[in-house]
Amino acid sequence: MDGQEATGRPPAAARRRPPPRFPELPGASTPPELIQALLDHFFPGEPASFLDTILLPFRECLPLSLQEVGRALACSTPTSAPGPDAIPNSVWKRVHHLAPDLIHDLLALLVTYGSHHLTLKRADGIVVDKRGKPSDDSPSSFRVILLLQTFSKILETIMNSRLSCVARVTCLLNPHQCGSLVGLSASDAVTTLTHKVKTLQIARRKVSTLFLDIKGGFDNVNPYTLCGILRAKGVNPYLVSWTKSCLSGRSCRLLYQGPPRVFAPVSVGTPQGSPVSALLFVIYVSRLYYEIPYGHSLSYVDDFRRPVSSASYRRNVQLLQKQYARP
């Protein structure tokens, strides 16, 4: 006889694990209404709808190489949870080992035409509750974990590598941005901020720092604006076209107990979990940087730090309030 039968209670491990909560939102009495309410909260804005009807090859596009495909697959984690395709990365690694040309030939056309196929832009959104929230009658009491299709992430990894190289050459990235870039990490952001503060303190100045977080930053990236930034910097048209295609026409199905598993269009934004998502975001927010007297902006992806210094902390507060209120 096990412990549950003997005492009439479930084992301790089961008692410590609270049952999952499910959204019960006001004004959403049916599963479709509930799904729409969650989509409106997690993916605000109007869906991007500029899909090309006629595709033409870009002659200036650098041909895709087998080495690029191999490097992209080497970066993938075999145990990552797959999206709607239900195919783990380990399968694509095996396919590439047995038939190297297969994945290459499929992706090469998408690169040449600057397109991200519609079937690759579907995602599963796992709705999980946030621990510590008092109720389940608000979308903010939950979060969505996006699971993207593994085959799509191979192409996104390749394009992320290409766009990253272009971004450095064309000054698409602010020099004070850390994170989402090769060779720059959170430790670099901390070290830079610490060095700046200590340098100003040695000069006997009072130093204050304002920490900002862009709420829902990834979900509010406007594809039109982003592509305009890329064009203005002279980015190769095939990369601009692929970015536009990748961020438009996306869909997601929210998964939790009860609702119908149907795909619904998602709004503007870059899908978190995509290999190229963070890079596109830091390019998008690079315009937020501006000089501050006796200081400079520093950020790690969507977390910004604005240090200032003066002869008094009162003056620092005034400077930071002015910068915070600046449109």
Side-chain angles (χ1 to χ4, degrees):
M1 180 179 295
D2 60 24
Q4 182 173 357
E5 293 177 348
T7 62
R9 295 182 301 170
R15 293 199 303 272
R16 288 195 298 267
R17 187 183 304 114
R21 298 182 304 158
F22 303 105
E24 297 179 2
L25 308 182
S29 57
T30 65
E33 292 176 347
L34 182 58
I35 290 176
Q36 190 59 51
L38 291 171
L39 288 173
D40 291 341
H41 174 79
F42 292 115
F43 309 103
E46 294 297 326
S49 58
F50 48 178
L51 291 174
D52 293 325
T53 55
I54 300 177
L55 296 176
L56 298 174
F58 290 89
R59 298 185 182 278
E60 68 275 17
C61 173
L62 182 68
L64 181 66
S65 67
L66 286 172
Q67 290 74 18
E68 286 182 289
V69 177
R71 286 194 295 266
L73 287 168
C75 295
S76 63
T77 305
T79 57
S80 294
D85 54 8
I87 302 176
N89 288 320
S90 57
V91 172
W92 297 121
K93 289 175 178 284
R94 184 62 175 169
V95 169
H96 183 66
H97 176 73
L98 296 176
D101 292 335
L102 180 59
I103 296 178
H104 169 270
D105 292 347
L106 291 173
L107 296 180
L109 287 176
L110 296 177
V111 173
T112 302
Y113 282 81
S115 177
H116 201 71
H117 199 273
L118 194 63
T119 57
L120 301 180
K121 294 185 281 190
R122 294 181 173 183
D124 285 338
I126 310 300
V127 180
V128 295
D129 60 302
K130 295 180 180 178
R131 299 303 181 190
K133 294 292 183 177
S135 66
D136 55 359
D137 59 355
S138 171
S140 60
S141 298
F142 300 85
R143 60 191 180 99
V144 172
I145 300 175
L146 285 182
L147 300 181
L148 307 177
Q149 303 199 74
T150 52
F151 191 77
S152 173
K153 293 171 77 171
I154 301 173
L155 177 58
E156 291 163 16
T157 299
I158 294 170
M159 302 305 281
N160 176 73
S161 178
R162 291 190 173 196
L163 185 58
S164 179
C165 295
V166 173
R168 293 179 183 273
V169 175
T170 57
C171 299
L172 279 169
L173 305 172
N174 191 281
H176 299 313
Q177 171 65 252
C178 298
S180 307
L181 308 172
V182 176
L184 291 174
S185 62
S187 59
D188 295 295
V190 173
T191 302
T192 303
L193 179 60
T194 303
H195 173 74
K196 184 65 178 180
V197 170
K198 289 185 176 180
T199 301
L200 293 171
Q201 288 176 336
I202 291 174
R204 298 186 179 279
R205 302 189 66 84
K206 304 298 182 183
V207 186
S208 303
T209 302
L210 176 65
F211 291 83
L212 299 171
D213 175 74
I214 302 178
K215 183 178 180 181
F218 285 81
D219 297 330
N220 286 277
V221 173
N222 188 311
Y224 295 93
T225 304
L226 177 59
C227 290
I229 294 173
L230 297 178
R231 291 192 190 95
K233 290 293 185 177
V235 174
N236 196 303
Y238 88 91
L239 284 172
V240 179
S241 176
W242 180 85
T243 301
K244 179 182 69 173
S245 177
C246 180
L247 297 183
S248 58
R250 305 196 69 91
S251 60
C252 176
R253 60 181 179 185
L254 298 181
L255 304 182
Y256 57 94
Q257 184 175 346
R261 299 192 172 190
V262 295
F263 287 95
V266 300
S267 303
V268 297
T270 60
Q272 293 200 46
S274 167
V276 75
S277 181
L279 177 61
L280 293 177
F281 177 78
V282 296
I283 292 174
Y284 188 75
V285 300
S286 62
R287 301 175 303 162
L288 296 179
Y289 288 94
Y290 46 82
E291 293 301 321
I292 299 177
Y294 308 108
H296 65 268
S297 299
L298 177 71
S299 68
Y300 181 80
V301 191
D302 59 349
D303 295 313
F304 281 71
R305 299 142 183 86
R306 301 190 183 278
V308 296
S309 67
S310 68
S312 68
Y313 289 116
R314 181 183 295 273
R315 178 55 179 163
N316 288 349
V317 171
Q318 293 173 347
L319 290 172
L320 291 174
Q321 287 177 334
K322 181 180 179 180
Q323 295 298 327
Y324 180 78
R326 180 174 177 175

